Amino acid sequence: MSAPDRPRQDPQERPTVLVLDAPSPAPPPRLGSLTGRARVEHAADADELRERLPDADVLLVWDFLSDAVREAWPAAGPGARPGWVHTASAGVDRLMFPELTGSDTVLTNARGVFDRPIAEYVAALVLAMAKDLPRTLALQSERTWRHRESQRVAGTRACIVGSGPIGQAIAAQLKALGITTALVGRRARAGIHGQDELDRLLARADWVVCAAPLTDATRGMFDARRFGAMQPSARFLNVGRGPLVVEDDLLDALRKRWIDGAALDVFEDEPLPADSPLWTAPGLIVSPHMSGDTVGWRDELGRQFVELYERWAAGRPLTNVVDKKRGYVPGN
């Protein structure tokens, strides 16, 4: 895809990059390499964003968990919106509102940064559940010696829903553990199953991993019917987006032992409220949306944005361009 047009301006005038900052204590992006080439401004909330957006050439959504862009997006009209928006996240669901998706603004995401870290996290969860590590730690805290037998993961089956780079990285990591994997995407193609095969694959899977993008078509896709289709020995893991799962249905499935266990890294409401029954659901591992966040991840996100900016400034085509009708970067 061609690069979004840069606005006509005086050659001496630097493009304006507007950053929607994340709340403290999250640090701002390191954009020092743009010094002298761009004017970097910051907004802390929707009000500041609304005031400054009309003058911005580029918007960097550093606070990718915020709805401020939706609240502040300017009305239609010449020069009323930036030509390029980049979000420092793989998911773009918070930016899928009609005023942006219907505009000519180009949207890019952080595709490629989180693939391997999330895959490693999934592999760690699979091993922890198979080897009963949560119970081992609980028994240690009680000073209780209780011998048990654990599960061998080699030879088991995994169904991975979401065939993009993250799903593919998860498949590669699980294959290295000797797990037979099946990738499910929006449509069938070489090495990837289509949605019409999902129920059949769920019925055979020991591990069901959700790494799909959140779209109108995928919202609530894991519900009572899907949990009922799984084996009683299956474990379900979600590292995609919280609204992909009907949480009450998952809770019911765990309580009724329809499935053996689950692990959630993402939730409908984040942070997960202290009174949520998910905290004490039987067989559920709760983690605070951290599967892709390894040491140095913010620096990597900053470097990725700078590389994209350099392409944009040179008039070269941008990578990681989101298909705003589909809600993700096509290609896999």
Side-chain angles (χ1 to χ4, degrees):
M1 181 175 180
S2 60
D5 292 335
R6 286 188 49 186
R8 294 183 180 179
Q9 54 191 13
D10 186 294
Q12 301 302 316
E13 185 178 351
R14 294 170 294 170
T16 297
V17 175
L18 178 59
V19 181
L20 175 60
D21 287 326
S24 179
R30 294 187 179 182
L31 303 179
S33 60
L34 297 186
T35 300
R37 295 189 289 160
R39 182 171 59 251
V40 179
E41 298 184 351
H42 295 265
D45 53 33
D47 289 338
E48 290 186 4
L49 198 63
R50 186 179 298 108
E51 178 183 348
R52 297 175 183 176
L53 265 175
D55 297 321
D57 300 304
V58 180
L59 172 63
L60 168 57
V61 184
W62 194 245
D63 184 5
F64 50 82
L65 297 178
S66 170
D67 288 317
V69 179
R70 182 189 299 266
E71 298 168 8
W73 194 254
R81 59 169 67 91
W84 169 33
V85 173
H86 177 77
T87 180
S89 63
V92 297
D93 45 280
R94 291 185 182 272
L95 299 174
M96 293 292 100
F97 54 91
E99 292 80 5
L100 194 155
T101 59
S103 73
D104 57 2
T105 295
V106 173
L107 175 63
T108 58
N109 75 347
R111 177 183 173 109
V113 172
F114 300 105
D115 307 354
R116 185 62 182 265
I118 291 178
E120 292 176 353
Y121 199 87
V122 168
L125 287 171
V126 166
L127 288 170
M129 297 169 87
K131 304 307 177 184
D132 203 22
L133 293 184
R135 192 183 308 180
T136 295
L137 295 174
L139 291 171
Q140 179 181 348
S141 69
E142 300 169 2
R143 300 177 182 239
T144 299
W145 180 281
R146 184 177 302 163
H147 180 270
R148 285 130 34 237
E149 295 178 346
S150 64
Q151 179 185 3
R152 179 181 295 182
V153 298
T156 59
R157 297 175 181 268
C159 174
I160 303 161
V161 183
S163 59
I166 292 175
Q168 293 183 32
I170 292 170
Q173 199 76 24
L174 296 187
K175 284 179 182 177
L177 296 176
I179 299 173
T180 300
T181 63
L183 269 170
V184 179
R186 187 175 64 90
R187 57 181 177 81
R189 52 211 186 273
I192 296 173
H193 301 270
Q195 286 290 318
D196 58 337
E197 297 183 77
L198 177 55
D199 288 349
R200 177 181 64 83
L201 293 168
L202 291 180
R204 304 174 59 195
D206 302 290
W207 311 97
V208 177
V209 183
C210 179
L214 178 61
T215 66
D216 289 342
T218 60
R219 186 179 298 272
M221 68 182 300
F222 284 99
D223 56 10
R225 186 182 70 81
R226 289 264 162 75
F227 292 124
M230 298 179 194
Q231 301 184 85
S233 60
R235 275 78 166 242
F236 172 76
L237 299 82
N238 185 17
V239 290
R241 283 291 184 266
L244 294 166
V245 177
V246 180
E247 292 178 350
D248 286 345
D249 290 355
L250 173 60
L251 186 62
D252 196 46
L254 289 168
R255 287 172 172 170
K256 292 179 178 178
R257 307 301 296 178
W258 287 2
I259 60 176
D260 191 56
L264 300 179
D265 186 55
V266 287
F267 301 85
E268 182 81 37
D269 295 318
E270 296 183 7
L272 186 65
D275 60 354
S276 171
L278 292 171
W279 288 107
T280 55
L284 177 62
I285 296 175
V286 170
S287 59
H289 203 149
M290 57 179 285
S291 61
D293 301 349
T294 52
V295 175
W297 66 286
R298 290 188 177 91
D299 290 342
E300 190 170 353
L301 287 172
R303 286 193 295 270
Q304 182 187 56
F305 174 74
V306 169
E307 290 172 2
L308 286 170
Y309 179 87
E310 290 173 347
R311 296 180 69 94
W312 174 81
R316 297 165 56 201
L318 289 171
T319 57
N320 289 12
V321 175
V322 174
D323 184 326
K324 293 185 290 185
K325 292 183 179 179
R326 298 182 186 179
Y328 54 88
V329 179
N332 287 296

